[in-house]
Amino acid sequence: MLRNSLKIIIIAALGWIFFFQVYSGYSSRDDLNELSTYYATEGLTEVGAANLVTSVVVTYRGLDTLGEVTILFLTALIIGLMLKVERGGDRTQVRNSSEFLVTASHVLLPVIFMVGIYIFINGHLTPGGGFQGGAILASTVILMLLSFSNNKISHKLLEIIESVSGISFILLGILGVLFAGGFLDNKILPLGEFGKLFSAGAIPVIYSLIGLKVGAELSNIILGFNQIQGKDDKSV
Amino acid sequence: MIYSIIVLALSVIMLVMALVAIHHKSLQIAVIASGIISLFASVVYIFLATPYVAITEASIGIALTVIIFFYVLNKIRHSDAKE
């Protein structure tokens, strides 16, 4: 009891100190700092993407995005290593999914899939991009697994999609070094008309590749979970 | 002013849902509560004028995380039933 109240007192004191510091030192600033001003004024002419966030994420800070993709790849790799089971083991009969889920999936799956693809193809025009679209694609895969439990989704195909899009992403970056200003520069393709689908140079291509890669990776992780269950089925 | 009130109300709901997610006995309700936190966080991000972050929160926090939790819970229940 005493220790608990001591803990609460310490947490409250730390919280008070923290919030007091933040509150007393806080003053809202209405102007952009130097870097943000550069992005906001030069981004339109230099990159030509309607969504400024995308121009920062894919072009100005493209190397960071490559790092994020690498981290996700490593995570998928490690999870795949942990969940390693014999590939293609036959899954025994599982319980059929409920009628509601199956019927709703027939209607919703194509729509959600299209939304995912729309989000990463239009990453340079509307909010969103490769990571968000890839996550939505992965949720369609998990919905497919839940509702059509007897269907098999090809591990091999997902791996091929993932590797091909990853390699093309790096190759596009190297093309930027050879033909334009630097690694992952988007000017290897013409900038096009501002606000159209085929604009902003290589950004739509790069974001579509990232979206496919992220979607395939997350789906592979989920399929790994599914296979570990298949192994348990056999042992029981 | 009205925006601040809406954001404050959403934040209070998020805090309540966080407590529900921690303290509720049923795992399903805890997972749904964490999904609701993400949902309102996404709305708050819209009010803070960051649609990019809002759509990230919506696609990952609401859809993927919740559905993975339910999927794994379903798997665990299956293997428990077999043993």
Side-chain angles (χ1 to χ4, degrees):
Chain A
M1 191 60 209
L2 190 68
R3 284 185 59 180
N4 270 352
S5 45
L6 199 67
K7 272 184 211 164
I8 290 171
I9 289 170
I10 290 174
I11 289 172
L14 284 176
W16 185 78
I17 292 167
F18 177 74
F19 279 112
F20 183 73
Q21 294 287 336
V22 169
Y23 181 72
S24 61
Y26 179 77
S27 62
S28 69
R29 50 182 301 174
D30 298 326
D31 53 330
L32 299 170
N33 64 21
E34 203 180 333
L35 190 64
S36 316
T37 313
Y38 179 80
Y39 288 153
T41 52
E42 305 293 320
L44 283 183
T45 49
E46 274 189 5
V47 181
N51 181 4
L52 262 182
V53 178
T54 306
S55 65
V56 173
V57 167
V58 180
T59 304
Y60 289 122
R61 292 275 173 268
L63 211 59
D64 287 2
T65 308
L66 183 63
E68 284 170 29
V69 171
T70 314
I71 288 169
L72 195 64
F73 173 67
L74 272 178
T75 313
L77 209 66
I78 291 167
I79 291 177
L81 196 71
M82 295 286 184
L83 296 179
K84 192 165 168 29
V85 288
E86 57 270 42
R87 286 283 157 88
D90 51 336
R91 292 182 56 213
T92 43
Q93 226 15 288
V94 286
R95 194 182 51 153
N96 278 338
S97 312
S98 84
E99 189 68 34
F100 293 120
L101 188 62
V102 174
T103 313
S105 299
H106 276 298
V107 180
L108 285 178
L109 269 178
V111 179
I112 303 175
F113 204 78
M114 291 298 286
V115 168
I117 290 175
Y118 175 89
I119 283 180
F120 68 65
I121 285 183
N122 283 289
H124 58 304
L125 302 177
T126 53
F131 290 97
Q132 292 85 347
I136 292 173
L137 286 190
S139 41
T140 57
V141 168
I142 203 170
L143 192 60
M144 239 191 276
L145 274 179
L146 281 174
S147 47
F148 315 119
S149 46
N150 292 323
N151 263 16
K152 276 185 183 157
I153 300 165
S154 169
H155 235 296
K156 210 77 197 164
L157 177 70
L158 287 176
E159 275 170 7
I160 289 171
I161 292 174
E162 184 196 333
S163 353
V164 168
S165 43
I167 291 170
S168 323
F169 177 37
I170 308 268
L171 282 181
L172 274 175
I174 294 172
L175 281 181
V177 175
L178 295 179
F179 297 112
F183 192 66
L184 282 173
D185 197 336
N186 71 329
K187 288 191 212 49
I188 53 174
L189 294 173
L191 283 189
E193 195 184 337
F194 175 77
K196 290 283 187 296
L197 180 59
F198 294 104
S199 66
I203 285 183
V205 184
I206 292 175
Y207 241 4
S208 304
L209 291 173
I210 294 176
L212 285 176
K213 187 169 162 57
V214 170
E217 259 163 7
L218 293 176
S219 313
N220 251 341
I221 294 175
I222 294 156
L223 284 182
F225 283 134
N226 198 38
Q227 282 193 341
I228 210 81
Q229 180 67 24
K231 187 186 163 199
D232 284 350
D233 282 349
K234 264 198 277 184
S235 64
V236 167
Chain B
M1 185 61 199
I2 186 83
Y3 286 154
S4 319
I5 292 171
I6 293 173
V7 168
L8 269 179
L10 289 175
S11 312
V12 170
I13 297 173
M14 279 161 67
L15 276 177
V16 172
M17 283 300 153
L19 288 175
V20 169
I22 294 171
H23 289 294
H24 206 279
K25 282 203 174 64
S26 161
L27 275 178
Q28 277 92 341
I29 290 176
V31 171
I32 290 175
S34 75
I36 292 172
I37 296 174
S38 290
L39 180 68
F40 287 129
S42 157
V43 178
V44 169
Y45 287 137
I46 293 273
F47 278 117
L48 296 177
T50 57
Y52 188 88
V53 184
I55 207 165
T56 311
E57 186 71 44
S59 64
I60 293 176
I62 301 170
L64 201 61
T65 314
V66 171
I67 207 169
I68 282 183
F69 266 121
F70 274 122
Y71 184 66
V72 173
L73 276 180
N74 194 30
K75 286 281 171 204
I76 292 170
R77 215 176 48 210
H78 266 262
S79 54
D80 279 354
K82 282 216 176 68
E83 278 162 13

